[in-house]
Amino acid sequence: MKYLQVALNVPANQTFTYKNVQAGKIVAQEEKAQKDLIPLKLSRKVDSFEAQVGSRAEVMFGNKRMTGIIIDIFDELPKDLSFDPRKIRKALRILDQSPLLTPELLDLGKWLSAFYLCPIGEALCSMIPGAKREVDGGGFALVDEDSFEGRNVLSDEQEKAVQGIVSSDGKKSLYHYLYGATGSGKTEVFLSAAEKILEAGKGVLYLVPEIGLTPQVVQAVARRFGNTVAVLHSALSPSQKLGEWKRILKKEARVVIGARSAVFAPIPDLGLIIIDEEHDSSYKSGNSPRYHARQVAMRRASKLKIPLVMGSATPSVEAWKAIEEKQFLCHSLTKRLSGGKMPIIASLDLSKEKMNGAISLALEEEIRQTLKEKRQVILFLNRRGFNHIFRCSSCGFELKCKNCSVPMTYHKAQNRLVCHYCSYSVEPFRVCPQCGSVDIGYSGFGTEFIESEVKSKFPNARSLRLDTDSVLKKGELEEKINAFKKGDYDILLGTQMIAKGLNFPALKLVGVILADTSLHLPDFRAAERTFSLITQVAGRAGRFFPDGKVFVQTYSPSHPAIYCACHSRQKDFYQQELDTRRLLNFPPYSRLLRLVFRSYVQADSEAFAQDAFNIISEELQAIKEKHLQDSDQTEILGPSECPLSKISSNYRNQILLRGPSIAILQRLASRLIYGFRAKEGVYIEVDVDPVNLL
C-alpha cells in the first residue's frame, strides 16, 4: 500500500496523508464514494491516473471534496505517527496524467510558504490554474500565427545591452537592469535577448504588469515568436489556463508572457526571465500569499543560474539602490529611436493659474492648438467618478461609506454615490443627513467630471474615456485603445491604465489634470508613485515626433517628486528620496513586515492587536537576550489603526515590524501566527515587504 502526502489549500501549515488510489480505477456511483462519505450526487464515473509527485489529487477533507498537490509518495508510514493509521482515508482520484508542478516549482512553493509565512498548501495551490480539466481553444486570442516578424536593426546601445544580458555568467551578477526613457527601445532589447536564448534551446518568461494594459507589448511578443508563445492572461478561463500550462510543460510553447502569476509558469529549461515595468505595484499580490513577482523571479533566476533582466524608465527606489551598489548590472538606453525626442514638460501652479473648471486656461489653449493641427491629446487623472467628496456647508458633515472609512464618490452616469473599496452605493442626498441643511455640495473631481468638461469646451472633438467604469466588456479595452491609435478619437482621458505601455504616433499633447492626487497619502512610497506616474504618462508624448508637450497641473510644483519629474531630473529625485528613506529608516534601508488585524467588532480588532504586540515583544526580548545579529535594531511600530481603519465593515489595526534582517521579522511573525490562536471572527493578514501601507 502506497501513501500520499498531500498539501491542501486550508489555513493550516501542514500536509495530510492519504492512501493511494489505484491507477485506472473507476470511482463508481454504486461505491457510494467511500462508504457514504461523499453525497451520492457528487460521485461520478471518473478515471484515476497514476500518482506522481507534483500531480493533483482529489480527496475528502472532513465532509468536503478538495483538490490538493501531492508533494511526496511513500510505501510505509513513519513509526512516530501522531494519529491512528486506521483513520487514513483513500484518495478519490489522481487528476493529472503527468505532474503539473516540476521539482523546481515544488521547491519554489516551499520557499514561498516559508518566506511569505503562508501554509504550504495555499502557496502551491496559488501557483497552478484552478481548473479540473482543460478545454479546447487555448489562450491564443492575441496571437496571429502568420504574423511572424524578424528582428529589427538594433542601435549600438541596444546591441551592447543584449550582449551583456545573454552573455551573463553570474560572476558579477545574474540580475540586469535595462534603464532608459520611455520610447528608447527597451522592448526590442527584451525581444532580441529572448531570441538568442531561444536559439540556444532555452525557454523565456516575459512578465508585464497587467496584460490588458500592455496590449502592444503582448502583440509585439506574439508577432515576433508566432505560435511558440503562450499568453497567460485574465481573459482565459481556468480550463484554458490549464491547457496553456500543459502546452508549456510539453515544450509546445517556449515563450510565456503574462502578468504577476505567470512567474510560476512551468517552463522546461528556463533560460531567461524578463520583468517589464519593474516598478509597477501590480507585481505585488494583494491576497495571501502576498508575494512579489520580482522577488519570486530573483529566487528562480538564482536557483537556476540564469539571467533576470528588469526594465523601466522609472525604477523602484529599491532597484535604483541595487543599481548604484552594482547588485543589478545596469544597461542604459539614452535615445528615442522612432524619430521622436523627450517632450517639453511645463508645470502649471494651480494656485496661480486662471481656472475655468478642472482644465486651466493655459492647458485649454494648448488643447485647442493641438486639435487644430489634427493631432491627438491625452488627459490623465488617477481618480474615477464625477465628484469626490459630498460635504455640508452648514455643519461640515462629509459623507463616508457606511462600510469603509473613505469618502464616497459621485458617479453622474449612474446618479449614485459609490464606494470604490466595497462598491456600496446610495442615491445622492438632497439635504444633509446630519443636520437637514440644503446647503450641500460636492468638491473634487474625477474622470467623469473631466469628460463632461471636455465635451463642453471642445464639442467638435471626439473624446474617449478609459477607466474601470467605462471598460466593462471583454476585449473592450483593447478595442478602444486601437481605435484611438487609428485616429478615431482626438482626446483620450483616463486613469493610470493609459499611463504605460502605449504608443500613439499622432499624439502630441499630454495633460496631467492633478498631479497631487496620490502625493499626500500616508504612505512612505507616495512620492515615488507620484514621480513614476507623471514620468510614465509624460512619456506617451514625443515618441514619434520631436514636438511633444506635457502640461502638469499641480498645487505642489516645488515638491521633489513633481519638480524632478517635470524637469527630467531623475537622478536628483532618487538621491533625495534615498536620503529621506535613510533618515526615516524605511526601505531600502530597512525591511518591513506588516500585520493587519481585522474584525467586524472594533474592540476585538484592537484587543487582538494589543495581544499580538505583547507576544511579539516577548519574543523580540528573547531574541535580543541571545544577542542575535541585527536584533538590537529591530523595532515594533504600533499597534495602531490602519490609515484606512475600516474596509468592507472590517475594523483594521496594524503592527509594523521593522529592522535590517527580514529573518528576524519573519521569526517574530511566525511566533504569533503559528503559536497563538486568535479569537473567532478576528483575522491576521501577513504582508512581508509590503508595498502599500494603507
Side-chain angles (χ1 to χ4, degrees):
M1 168 66 73
K2 284 192 174 182
Y3 296 90
L4 311 178
Q5 190 176 7
V6 180
L8 295 171
N9 190 2
V10 294
N13 195 33
Q14 65 181 92
T15 55
F16 302 90
T17 303
Y18 288 87
K19 295 174 184 174
N20 193 14
V21 60
Q22 186 179 342
K25 181 183 177 185
I26 294 181
V27 182
Q29 283 187 344
E30 52 268 23
E31 285 185 70
K32 297 189 74 176
Q34 297 193 355
K35 299 179 182 178
D36 293 322
L37 286 174
I38 308 172
L40 189 61
K41 64 181 179 180
L42 289 180
S43 61
R44 56 198 184 279
K45 291 188 176 183
V46 289
D47 288 317
S48 180
F49 298 107
E50 182 181 347
Q52 299 176 73
V53 172
S55 295
R56 296 171 303 161
E58 194 169 47
V59 300
M60 288 303 298
F61 185 74
N63 60 357
K64 192 175 178 183
R65 184 190 291 259
M66 295 189 71
T67 299
I69 309 295
I70 302 170
I71 64 170
D72 197 7
I73 301 173
F74 41 92
D75 293 319
E76 294 183 1
L77 294 171
K79 293 180 181 178
D80 58 347
L81 200 65
S82 59
F83 54 86
D84 186 347
R86 291 174 295 182
K87 294 183 178 180
I88 298 177
R89 299 153 90 171
K90 186 180 286 187
L92 300 180
R93 59 173 174 150
I94 310 303
L95 296 174
D96 305 304
Q97 193 166 5
S98 57
L100 289 189
L101 290 179
T102 63
E104 184 233 338
L105 289 181
L106 283 171
D107 178 69
L108 185 69
K110 292 170 185 175
W111 172 84
L112 199 74
S113 169
F115 189 85
Y116 292 104
L117 303 177
C118 68
I120 179 65
E122 188 177 76
L124 291 173
C125 291
S126 71
M127 295 168 66
I128 60 173
K132 288 289 181 67
R133 61 187 181 88
E134 61 186 284
V135 296
D136 293 333
F140 274 98
L142 297 175
V143 180
D144 179 357
E145 294 184 23
D146 297 323
S147 62
F148 182 86
E149 279 188 0
R151 62 182 294 182
N152 295 332
V153 177
L154 301 180
S155 69
D156 291 343
E157 285 183 333
Q158 289 176 313
E159 187 64 49
K160 184 179 178 182
V162 171
Q163 292 303 323
I165 293 164
V166 299
S167 63
S168 174
D169 57 7
K171 289 181 181 177
K172 291 183 179 178
S173 178
L174 291 168
Y175 309 137
H176 300 259
Y177 210 98
L178 191 59
Y179 173 59
T182 50
S184 58
K186 291 187 290 294
T187 301
E188 186 57 41
V189 172
F190 292 148
L191 296 180
S192 297
E195 205 163 50
K196 290 185 178 295
I197 295 296
L198 287 175
E199 289 169 1
K202 302 283 188 179
V204 176
L205 174 58
Y206 194 137
L207 298 180
V208 293
E210 297 165 72
I211 285 287
L213 306 188
T214 48
Q216 294 173 6
V217 176
V218 177
Q219 288 163 357
V221 176
R223 283 195 302 268
R224 177 67 66 89
F225 301 114
N227 61 3
T228 191
V229 175
V231 184
L232 298 177
H233 57 90
S234 56
L236 298 179
S237 68
S239 297
Q240 288 173 321
K241 285 179 184 174
L242 179 58
E244 288 292 78
W245 192 271
K246 291 185 176 180
R247 283 184 65 238
I248 296 164
L249 281 167
K250 294 173 185 174
K251 293 191 177 183
E252 293 173 9
R254 301 300 287 138
V255 180
V256 177
I257 182 166
R260 179 180 63 230
S261 62
V263 75
F264 303 119
I267 305 171
D269 303 318
L270 181 60
L272 174 67
I273 303 175
I274 298 165
I275 303 182
D276 200 3
E277 306 293 0
E278 166 276 332
H279 68 278
D280 200 289
S281 60
S282 62
Y283 282 123
K284 174 77 170 179
S285 172
N287 300 309
S288 184
R290 291 177 171 81
Y291 66 90
H292 198 299
R294 181 184 60 215
Q295 287 177 319
V296 178
M298 290 175 72
R299 170 75 180 187
R300 290 191 78 175
S302 174
K303 294 291 283 186
L304 295 172
K305 299 291 187 290
I306 61 172
L308 161 66
V309 55
M310 298 160 271
S312 176
T314 54
S316 63
V317 173
E318 286 89 344
W320 187 273
K321 183 169 181 284
I323 291 169
E324 282 191 337
E325 295 178 350
K326 303 292 191 287
Q327 295 170 10
F328 296 171
L329 299 180
C330 186
H331 309 278
S332 294
L333 302 178
T334 60
K335 302 169 186 173
R336 284 194 157 178
L337 302 176
S338 301
K341 68 176 185 179
M342 295 307 296
I344 298 168
I345 305 179
S347 64
L348 303 176
D349 187 344
L350 293 180
S351 62
K352 299 176 182 177
E353 287 292 320
K354 293 181 180 178
M355 301 296 294
N356 179 20
I359 299 174
S360 65
L361 293 180
L363 177 55
E364 182 181 338
E365 180 55 37
E366 197 63 39
I367 293 172
R368 293 191 191 282
Q369 183 59 39
T370 303
L371 294 175
K372 280 182 186 177
E373 297 172 12
K374 306 296 184 186
R375 303 282 292 281
Q376 290 178 307
V377 179
I378 281 181
L379 298 178
F380 169 78
L381 176 65
N382 205 24
R383 182 184 286 160
R384 295 184 287 133
F386 194 86
N387 293 111
H388 193 53
I389 297 173
F390 172 93
R391 192 174 188 277
C392 174
S393 299
S394 298
C395 69
F397 171 78
E398 289 186 0
L399 181 67
K400 292 188 176 181
C401 172
K402 70 171 188 175
N403 302 318
C404 310
S405 56
V406 294
M408 299 186 73
T409 301
Y410 176 56
H411 286 248
K412 190 175 183 180
Q414 306 169 32
N415 193 32
R416 305 282 293 181
L417 288 159
V418 180
C419 173
H420 287 169
Y421 282 83
C422 72
S423 299
Y424 170 73
S425 69
V426 294
E427 288 186 0
F429 294 97
R430 296 181 179 178
V431 298
C432 173
Q434 184 162 287
C435 71
S437 169
V438 295
D439 189 10
I440 58 174
Y442 296 91
S443 60
F445 47 82
T447 48
E448 242 187 294
F449 183 97
I450 306 303
E451 181 181 39
S452 175
E453 186 172 338
V454 163
K455 288 180 177 178
S456 173
K457 291 182 174 178
F458 313 103
N460 296 323
R462 299 162 299 173
S463 62
L464 172 67
R465 174 166 62 93
L466 278 184
D467 55 29
T468 52
D469 298 318
S470 66
V471 179
L472 303 174
K473 294 182 294 185
K474 179 179 176 181
E476 188 176 5
L477 174 62
E478 192 179 355
E479 287 176 15
K480 289 183 174 180
I481 288 172
N482 286 334
F484 185 72
K485 189 174 184 179
K486 288 190 295 184
D488 294 346
Y489 296 93
D490 306 306
I491 300 174
L492 173 64
L493 55 102
T495 55
Q496 66 181 23
M497 64 170 56
I498 66 172
K500 53 196 172 186
L502 302 174
N503 301 324
F504 303 114
L507 178 68
K508 180 182 178 182
L509 176 66
V510 171
V512 179
I513 300 299
L514 186 60
D516 313 54
T517 309
S518 60
L519 187 60
H520 304 297
L521 293 174
D523 190 325
F524 73 93
R525 286 193 170 90
E528 177 186 352
R529 290 196 187 100
T530 301
F531 171 81
S532 176
L533 266 178
I534 295 173
T535 304
Q536 290 285 339
V537 75
R540 302 310 109 203
R543 294 173 80 99
F544 294 88
F545 298 92
D547 60 351
K549 290 186 178 180
V550 181
F551 279 42
V552 178
Q553 298 187 157
T554 175
Y555 287 104
S556 311
S558 60
H559 190 286
I562 294 174
Y563 181 84
C564 291
C566 291
H567 292 82
S568 299
R569 295 174 64 168
Q570 281 85 354
K571 290 184 179 179
D572 289 348
F573 169 74
Y574 284 109
Q575 190 55 58
Q576 289 186 57
E577 186 66 14
L578 283 169
D579 289 345
T580 302
R581 301 273 185 97
R582 185 188 295 110
L583 186 67
L584 298 175
N585 194 27
F586 274 116
Y589 295 99
S590 66
R591 301 294 290 271
L592 292 180
L593 192 152
R594 186 187 191 209
L595 297 166
V596 175
F597 310 92
R598 58 180 175 85
S599 173
Y600 287 119
V601 181
Q602 185 173 5
D604 288 351
S605 173
E606 292 172 353
F608 187 28
Q610 185 59 54
D611 290 343
F613 173 80
N614 296 337
I615 292 166
I616 294 169
S617 297
E618 184 181 301
E619 181 70 12
L620 179 57
Q621 186 58 39
I623 290 173
K624 287 182 176 181
E625 287 173 1
K626 294 178 181 177
H627 303 290
L628 293 183
Q629 187 178 359
D630 298 324
S631 60
D632 287 341
Q633 300 169 57
T634 302
E635 305 172 87
I636 305 172
L637 308 179
S640 63
E641 279 190 343
C642 296
L644 295 178
S645 59
K646 186 182 179 187
I647 294 180
S648 299
S649 299
N650 277 272
Y651 292 92
R652 305 164 74 241
N653 286 266
Q654 70 176 5
I655 290 175
L656 279 180
L657 306 180
R658 179 169 68 182
S661 167
I662 193 65
I664 289 179
L665 306 188
Q666 290 164 329
R667 177 170 169 178
L668 293 173
S670 296
R671 170 76 174 87
L672 174 69
I673 299 162
Y674 302 127
F676 181 68
R677 183 182 291 274
K679 181 179 178 180
E680 188 173 348
V682 185
Y683 302 92
I684 308 177
E685 296 174 3
V686 185
D687 196 351
V688 179
D689 293 324
V691 300
N692 187 336
L693 298 183
L694 298 180

